[in-house]
């Protein structure tokens, strides 16, 4: 099997790498986080209109380039290297992914807007009581004439503070944890009855608690079949999971580079700490974790169309969750106290890796899902 990227994918990587190197260094990122909204909207517009990258993985029928999950992986690794706060995963992977899968007039209207940078989506699939169980929903959507009325609470909805639309799951039938009865809705962020509580996460990115208080939406807000959305949501979340694995890979590689540079400069007992064998061993371990993360991400990405997709995705996420934590801790230990200060980039990479570790399933969740899948196969 050929694991080399195509010429087009290499061009995507190089284009994004150059842009981020010129426009997204650590100081500029720090300044962005202090702005209202926690980002520079001009960056997203540049990715869309100047570079045309938001359509790289989307179908040509909607104005995209016809790429796929590997193209997303290439882009996400570069976003990870730069500690990007851009809402690529909720908007392109989840939002556009849901629209493309369900099709219809709403997809034809909004996917070109996503590619053009005008539409930004915040995705809310999780609730406080449900942890990572996508079927554990207290949010309800009840019929009201031709439309729907939503009530409930979605937790830690990334990109919601500046989103134009919200992609949310709600129960239209069945009991709280039942697989059936789950529906998917895409609604304008300014819908009356949608209440946000915005806050910064530990890595500086913004998220929201979303509360639906008799929020009325039209019939066209329902994506796909009523009550049958759980398989689609699971597929979207697995796609997003491997995309975040790619982001973690990029961040891990860059954090290893920063630690290696620091080890060459920091002196102890009259010599660079990188000359000490124990530090050299640690740096090699960090390098190996980053390389394994890249391999596992590629494996998970290539298996997204596999009937046993969940097994491959959970293997990748479990390995990367474990490796990202180890690499981050080794980086901080090598830097010493300065490694967790806001002035040094290394601490911010560690924080971002910590957030990624909890998104779309932590280590225990993915080990449990993997175990359940393997037992089901054995039976």
């Amino acid at each position: 099997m050929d694991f080399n990227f195509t010429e087009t994918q290499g061009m995507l990587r190089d284009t994004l790498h150059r842009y981020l190197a010129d426009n997204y260094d650590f100081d500029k990122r720090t300044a962005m986080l202090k702005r209202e909204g926690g980002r520079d909207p001009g960056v997203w517009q540049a990715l869309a209109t100047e570079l045309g990258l938001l359509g790289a993985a989307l179908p040509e029928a909607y104005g995209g380039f016809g790429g796929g999950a590997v193209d997303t992986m290439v882009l996400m690794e570069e976003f990870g290297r730069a500690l990007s706060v851009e809402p690529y995963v909720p908007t392109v992977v989840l939002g556009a992914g849901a629209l493309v899968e369900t099709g219809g007039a709403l997809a034809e209207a909004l996917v070109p807007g996503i590619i053009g940078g005008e539409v930004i989506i915040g995705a809310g699939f999780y609730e406080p009581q449900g942890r990572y169980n996508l079927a554990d929903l207290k949010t309800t959507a009840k019929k009201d004439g031709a439309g729907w009325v939503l009530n409930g609470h979605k937790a830690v909805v990334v990109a919601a503070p500046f989103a134009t639309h919200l992609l949310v799951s709600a129960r239209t039938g069945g009991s709280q944890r039942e697989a059936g009865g789950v529906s998917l809705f895409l609604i304008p962020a300014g819908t009356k009855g949608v209440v946000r509580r915005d806050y910064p996460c530990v890595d500086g990115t913004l998220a929201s608690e979303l509360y639906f208080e008799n929020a009325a939406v039209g019939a066209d807000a329902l994506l796909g079949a009523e009550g049958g959305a759980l398989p689609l949501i699971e597929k979207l979340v697995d796609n997003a999971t491997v995309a975040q694995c790619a982001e973690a890979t990029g961040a891990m590689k860059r954090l290893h580079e920063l630690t290696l540079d620091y080890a060459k400069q920091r002196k102890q007992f009259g010599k660079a700490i990188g000359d000490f064998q124990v530090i050299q061993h640690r740096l090699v371990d960090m390098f190996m974790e980053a390389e394994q993360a890249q391999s596992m991400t590629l494996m998970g990405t290539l298996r997204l169309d596999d009937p046993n997709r969940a097994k491959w995705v959970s293997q990748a996420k479990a390995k990367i969750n474990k490796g990202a934590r180890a690499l981050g801790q080794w980086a901080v230990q090598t830097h010493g106290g300065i490694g967790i200060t806001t002035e040094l980039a290394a601490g911010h990479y560690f924080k971002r890796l910590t957030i990624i570790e909890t998104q779309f399933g932590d280590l225990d969740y993915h080990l449990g899902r993997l175990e359940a899948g393997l037992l089901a196969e054995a039976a």
Side-chain angles (χ1 to χ4, degrees), residues 255-256 259 282 286 326-336 339 346:
L255 184 51
H256 170 256
T259 308
R282 177 174 290 169
M286 293 173 67
L327 186 146
Q329 290 175 342
W330 291 333
V332 169
Q333 289 167 0
T334 304
H335 280 84

Side-chain angles (χ1 to χ4, degrees), residues 29 33 85 200-206 348 351-353 355-356:
R29 178 187 184 274
L33 293 178
V85 297
C201 298
V202 69
D203 63 343
T205 58
L206 294 183
H348 294 264
K351 291 175 183 178
R352 180 60 192 154
L353 289 171
I355 289 290
I356 292 174

Side-chain angles (χ1 to χ4, degrees), residues 234-297:
E234 290 173 340
K235 179 179 180 179
L236 293 171
V237 168
D238 280 342
N239 290 343
T241 300
V242 293
Q244 296 251 245
C245 287
E247 182 187 355
T249 298
M252 291 167 73
K253 286 186 171 184
R254 183 60 185 144
L255 184 51
H256 170 256
E257 293 169 1
L258 291 172
T259 308
L260 179 61
D261 290 342
Y262 182 79
K264 292 177 180 178
Q265 298 169 17
R266 176 73 167 91
K267 293 190 183 234
Q268 192 86 28
F269 305 112
K271 59 195 300 188
I273 62 172
D275 291 339
F276 294 104
Q277 192 175 56
V278 65
I279 299 297
Q280 293 172 1
H281 288 172
R282 177 174 290 169
L283 290 166
V284 170
D285 289 339
M286 293 173 67
F287 175 79
M288 292 302 298
E289 289 292 352
E291 290 296 304
Q292 290 177 38
Q294 185 173 43
S295 296
M296 293 297 289
T297 298

Side-chain angles (χ1 to χ4, degrees), residues 21-57:
D22 293 339
N23 300 277
Y24 218 97
D25 63 24
F26 176 67
D27 291 335
K28 290 179 180 177
R29 178 187 184 274
T30 302
M32 286 180 197
L33 293 178
K34 295 178 181 178
R35 295 176 55 151
E36 183 178 356
R39 57 191 282 272
D40 180 359
V43 173
W44 189 248
Q45 279 301 315
L47 294 175
T49 56
E50 293 179 27
L51 305 179
L53 296 180
L54 300 187

Side-chain angles (χ1 to χ4, degrees), residues 15-218:
T15 298
L16 182 56
H17 181 84
R18 285 194 299 268
Y19 175 80
L20 294 175
D22 293 339
N23 300 277
Y24 218 97
D25 63 24
F26 176 67
D27 291 335
K28 290 179 180 177
R29 178 187 184 274
T30 302
M32 286 180 197
L33 293 178
K34 295 178 181 178
R35 295 176 55 151
E36 183 178 356
R39 57 191 282 272
D40 180 359
V43 173
W44 189 248
Q45 279 301 315
L47 294 175
T49 56
E50 293 179 27
L51 305 179
L53 296 180
L54 300 187
L58 298 179
E60 294 178 1
Y62 294 99
F65 295 164
V70 175
D71 301 77
T72 293
M73 182 188 76
V74 169
L75 295 176
M76 286 302 298
E77 187 171 326
E78 291 302 322
F79 283 134
R81 287 185 64 90
L83 272 185
S84 168
V85 297
E86 304 308 312
Y88 187 91
V89 169
T91 300
V92 179
V93 179
L94 294 173
L99 288 165
V100 169
E101 287 282 343
T102 55
L106 201 59
E108 293 177 4
L110 293 182
V111 174
I114 290 173
I115 294 171
E118 296 93 11
V119 176
I120 296 175
I121 296 177
F125 297 146
Y126 296 109
E127 299 184 2
Q129 82 288 340
R131 292 291 289 168
Y132 300 114
N133 185 349
L134 294 166
D136 191 341
L137 301 176
K138 289 185 177 179
T139 299
T140 61
K142 298 189 180 300
K143 282 269 194 182
D144 181 35
W148 301 86
V149 174
L150 275 67
N151 283 281
H153 172 201
K154 295 294 180 180
V156 198
V157 183
V158 177
F162 48 84
T164 61
H165 293 74
L166 300 170
L167 180 69
V168 297
S169 56
R171 188 160 288 287
T172 53
S175 58
Q176 181 177 327
R177 298 179 182 86
E178 189 177 334
V182 176
S183 297
L184 189 61
F185 295 86
L186 184 65
I187 65 177
T191 299
K192 184 178 180 181
V194 177
V195 179
R196 291 194 339 256
R197 180 172 64 84
D198 304 337
Y199 51 86
C201 298
V202 69
D203 63 343
T205 58
L206 294 183
S208 301
E209 299 297 295
L210 289 181
Y211 301 91
F212 299 95
E213 300 173 355
N214 293 318
V217 300

